[in-house]
Amino acid sequence: MLSGCASWRNQTRPAAPVNTDPAATAAAAEKSAAAANAGAQTTQVTKLQKFLWVFSPYRPDIQQGNFVSQEMLAQLKVGQTRDQVRFILGSPLLTDAFHADRWDYPFYLARGNGELTTSRVTVYFKNDVVERFEGGNLPSERDYIDRIAGPAKGTKAKPETRPVEPVKVGGAPVVQP
């Protein structure tokens, strides 16, 4: 009788062969990097998950990393210094000692209902100025707020404005151009 976590798998089947060809490895790495740098990806929950969520315990939203919006990325330009990039995007979450000229800004948002949003922006430097950056198709700040707080219920009415009274000098109104 089998027991334990691995009892459900067929342990007699050999593992799939691994292709060690350098061209195939480089192509696989390029494909995964392109998917990671494609911008924000959101995984929606299924109807079954929504139904089962009613019976599960409370799960808080978990946010990790740096949120980078379309507006922030639009301010980033080739030729900016590291300090300018830090001012626009914030401090990078990942800096690699082996790749000092690369800053990564990953973002991860797991909603309590099972919805998952991830994105990554990568900035490459050459001679301490931006050479290029990757990461597009990012949400705007309004989209992010709507995702966190929910869409606005209605539009706000404009505040009531009062007419401005003319300034009086010596009892006579002064006409301002």
Side-chain angles (χ1 to χ4, degrees):
M1 180 171 175
L2 297 174
S3 64
C5 295
S7 64
W8 62 273
R9 284 189 275 165
N10 182 359
Q11 298 295 324
T12 60
R13 185 173 19 142
V18 176
N19 189 353
T20 58
D21 179 35
T25 305
E30 189 68 31
K31 183 179 176 184
S32 66
N37 286 325
Q41 294 93 26
T42 300
T43 305
Q44 300 291 332
V45 295
T46 64
K47 290 181 181 180
L48 177 64
Q49 288 173 324
K50 284 182 183 180
F51 175 73
L52 293 176
W53 181 73
V54 174
F55 301 109
S56 66
Y58 172 74
R59 295 183 185 172
D61 295 345
I62 299 172
Q63 175 185 333
Q64 296 176 325
N66 305 64
F67 172 71
V68 179
S69 66
Q70 288 176 348
E71 295 87 358
M72 295 166 72
L73 199 62
Q75 294 177 13
L76 192 63
K77 306 286 184 225
V78 173
Q80 290 178 329
T81 64
R82 291 179 187 259
D83 289 334
Q84 290 172 323
V85 173
R86 187 175 284 118
F87 179 77
I88 294 170
L89 302 179
S91 297
L93 187 65
L94 298 174
T95 54
D96 189 358
F98 297 106
H99 301 100
D101 291 335
R102 173 181 163 170
W103 285 359
D104 289 307
Y105 292 87
F107 177 72
Y108 173 89
L109 173 64
R111 301 288 312 266
N113 64 2
E115 184 179 277
L116 176 67
T117 302
T118 60
S119 67
R120 187 173 93 186
V121 174
T122 305
V123 181
Y124 296 92
F125 295 94
K126 188 172 188 177
N127 299 327
D128 288 334
V129 295
V130 175
E131 177 185 25
R132 63 186 170 97
F133 52 92
E134 297 174 351
N137 192 23
L138 298 172
S140 68
E141 291 177 8
R142 172 55 48 200
D143 294 338
Y144 177 68
I145 291 170
D146 287 346
R147 184 170 304 280
I148 295 294
K153 299 291 181 195
T155 59
K156 278 188 165 182
K158 289 186 177 180
E160 193 175 306
T161 58
R162 294 182 289 144
V164 178
E165 295 183 23
V167 178
K168 295 182 179 181
V169 176
V174 176
V175 178
Q176 297 180 354

